[in-house]
Amino acid sequence: MEMTIGANIKRLRSTKNITQEQLSVAMNVTCAAVSKWERGETYPDITLLQPLAYFFGVTLDELMGYNQEKVKAEIDDVLALYTKHCNDKKGREIIVKAYHNYPNDYRIMHCYMWNIGGGLADNDSAVLVAHKDEFLAICDKILEGCTDENIRLGAWNMRAKILHAEGRTDEALEIYKTKFTDWFTTGGQKIEQLFAKDTSEYYFHVQKNMYELVDFAADKLGRTVFFNSSLSMLEKAERALRYGELMLNAFEETKDAFFLMLAESFLGRMENDLKYRGGTDEQIIPVMDKYLYAAKKLEELRAENEALNRSFDRYSEVVRDNFFKFILDCRINATGCRNAELLKNPDYKAVLDKYR
């Protein structure tokens, strides 16, 4: 957020048709001090802010150039850009700068903390312990003032992660038992139970819950395949293709979005783990091809299936706007990590070009 107090003083002074010297006399400072304010070289002493605002007949926010709606729009734009780059080096730069510029925004705090902490899974205990004081201070701020329940749960999650990193796993597990709901008491389940079973509202929410749950379950299926220690990397890649083909065939036969969501989530998980956990280009590329096919079909189907479309509500606006375009752009415009390395492979680029 840019500080514009100097430019505002110059504008307000001109509007009142007074000289720098006249303002310096009124504020009991030198004319040179006023000149430096207006050039942006220095700022007025904090004790002068209220007298300056009174002198010009404006609020402190107006004097300092603070516009709440403008700042909110700036933060929204920053977060949208961060979402696009959250998995690469640029994402780190964006969120660190944002935290410096908007240190009291809860969304920024949350994203900053989890970016530095290494994401929601596979956290490095040494990193969490090294940033313990900073992270716990952020958690305290969130829990004391934030009303967004998802961000609040993120703070509890970070507290549990730090406890586990310190070897206090029992205390971490207690947080999850007391602060987080189980599968059967989720908001989605309770919304579904709000309506009589012979109503259109009930059917809509049953469908929406089904799509969200199959997305979640398919991700778990991918993890059970990839982290099966009895399978070689090649066998994992082959199983990804075989399972994905079965799911896509089931969709083509039934036209039921359930199977398409199953395929998209499962293949997306397998592609991700193959990329970042030792898979070769030859193993990754065909899995990504099927994944992009499933994602493209899923995006097309959202336009005609409102329950499916609403299952994307939990994602950010940029993802909801066009899910397929988002995941394709992340690969095409990658500037760091494994995605960027894969762009050097002509076969990988050919698959991306096919879906542009």
Side-chain angles (χ1 to χ4, degrees), residues 76-96 111 114-116 276 316 318-319 325-337 339-340 343:
D76 289 343
D77 290 343
V78 167
L79 288 172
L81 184 63
Y82 172 68
T83 298
K84 187 175 180 179
H85 294 282
C86 61
N87 293 319
D88 58 40
K89 182 180 178 181
K90 187 175 180 181
R92 171 67 60 87
E93 295 171 355
I94 290 168
I95 202 61
V96 168
C111 291
W114 285 104
N115 185 286
I116 300 297
Y276 295 104
S316 65
V318 67
V319 177
K325 183 179 184 300
F326 172 77
I327 63 173
L328 187 63
D329 286 350
C330 285
R331 288 156 178 76
I332 291 172
N333 301 317
T335 58
C337 65
N339 277 332
L343 285 171

Side-chain angles (χ1 to χ4, degrees), residues 225-228 231-240 270:
V225 171
F226 192 86
F227 294 101
N228 184 340
L231 299 177
S232 68
M233 193 66 71
L234 177 60
E235 289 171 324
K236 293 171 184 178
E238 290 174 343
R239 190 164 295 193
M270 290 301 298

Side-chain angles (χ1 to χ4, degrees), residues 173-190:
L173 292 174
E174 190 61 27
I175 286 178
Y176 293 126
K177 290 176 184 176
T178 58
K179 300 299 181 183
F180 291 78
T181 186
D182 61 28
W183 312 117
F184 300 100
T185 55
T186 60
Q189 176 76 348
K190 294 307 173 186

Side-chain angles (χ1 to χ4, degrees), residues 107-343:
R107 295 174 297 166
I108 295 289
M109 291 182 203
H110 181 264
C111 291
Y112 169 81
M113 177 172 66
W114 285 104
N115 185 286
I116 300 297
L120 297 178
D122 300 320
N123 305 91
D124 185 335
S125 293
V127 172
L128 296 181
V129 172
H131 290 271
K132 172 185 173 180
D133 292 342
E134 180 184 26
F135 289 171
L136 289 180
I138 291 174
C139 289
D140 287 343
K141 285 184 181 179
I142 289 172
L143 293 172
E144 287 170 7
C146 183
T147 57
D148 185 313
E149 192 59 27
N150 287 327
I151 295 178
R152 290 176 60 81
L153 288 174
W156 283 115
N157 190 17
M158 178 55 78
R159 284 189 168 188
K161 294 269 189 180
I162 292 171
L163 286 169
H164 176 63
E166 293 180 319
R168 299 159 65 185
T169 303
D170 287 345
E171 294 176 62
L173 292 174
E174 190 61 27
I175 286 178
Y176 293 126
K177 290 176 184 176
T178 58
K179 300 299 181 183
F180 291 78
T181 186
D182 61 28
W183 312 117
F184 300 100
T185 55
T186 60
Q189 176 76 348
K190 294 307 173 186
I191 290 172
E192 179 184 313
Q193 293 172 348
L194 188 65
F195 301 101
K197 290 183 171 58
D198 59 352
T199 63
S200 60
E201 291 88 351
Y202 173 78
Y203 188 68
F204 171 84
H205 287 289
V206 167
Q207 282 187 300
K208 180 175 179 288
N209 287 341
M210 175 186 70
Y211 294 131
E212 291 181 359
L213 288 171
V214 74
D215 186 14
F216 188 82
D219 178 87
K220 297 304 179 191
L221 175 61
R223 294 173 191 270
T224 61
V225 171
F226 192 86
F227 294 101
N228 184 340
S229 59
S230 69
L231 299 177
S232 68
M233 193 66 71
L234 177 60
E235 289 171 324
K236 293 171 184 178
E238 290 174 343
R239 190 164 295 193
L241 293 172
R242 186 163 68 253
Y243 283 17
E245 190 68 30
L246 288 169
M247 295 168 188
L248 290 171
N249 286 343
F251 166 69
E252 293 298 338
E253 182 178 333
T254 65
K255 303 304 178 185
D256 194 320
F258 173 94
F259 297 107
L260 190 56
M261 179 69 87
L262 186 67
E264 184 276 328
S265 184
F266 170 75
L267 289 165
R269 168 49 53 191
M270 290 301 298
E271 182 217 19
N272 183 80
D273 284 330
L274 285 168
K275 272 184 181 177
Y276 295 104
R277 297 181 184 275
T280 65
D281 289 12
E282 292 72 22
Q283 292 162 356
I284 295 165
I285 292 169
V287 175
M288 182 189 73
D289 193 351
K290 283 192 183 298
Y291 169 55
L292 291 176
Y293 173 82
K296 186 172 187 292
K297 286 286 187 181
L298 196 63
E299 181 62 37
E300 293 170 356
L301 208 57
R302 286 177 62 195
E304 57 191 68
N305 185 329
E306 184 58 16
L308 174 66
N309 183 46
R310 288 290 305 280
S311 72
F312 283 76
D313 285 357
R314 63 193 185 280
Y315 295 118
S316 65
E317 184 177 353
V318 67
V319 177
R320 291 196 309 271
D321 184 54
N322 190 317
F323 168 68
F324 176 70
K325 183 179 184 300
F326 172 77
I327 63 173
L328 187 63
D329 286 350
C330 285
R331 288 156 178 76
I332 291 172
N333 301 317
T335 58
C337 65
R338 188 75 168 98
N339 277 332
E341 293 175 11
L342 282 161
L343 285 171

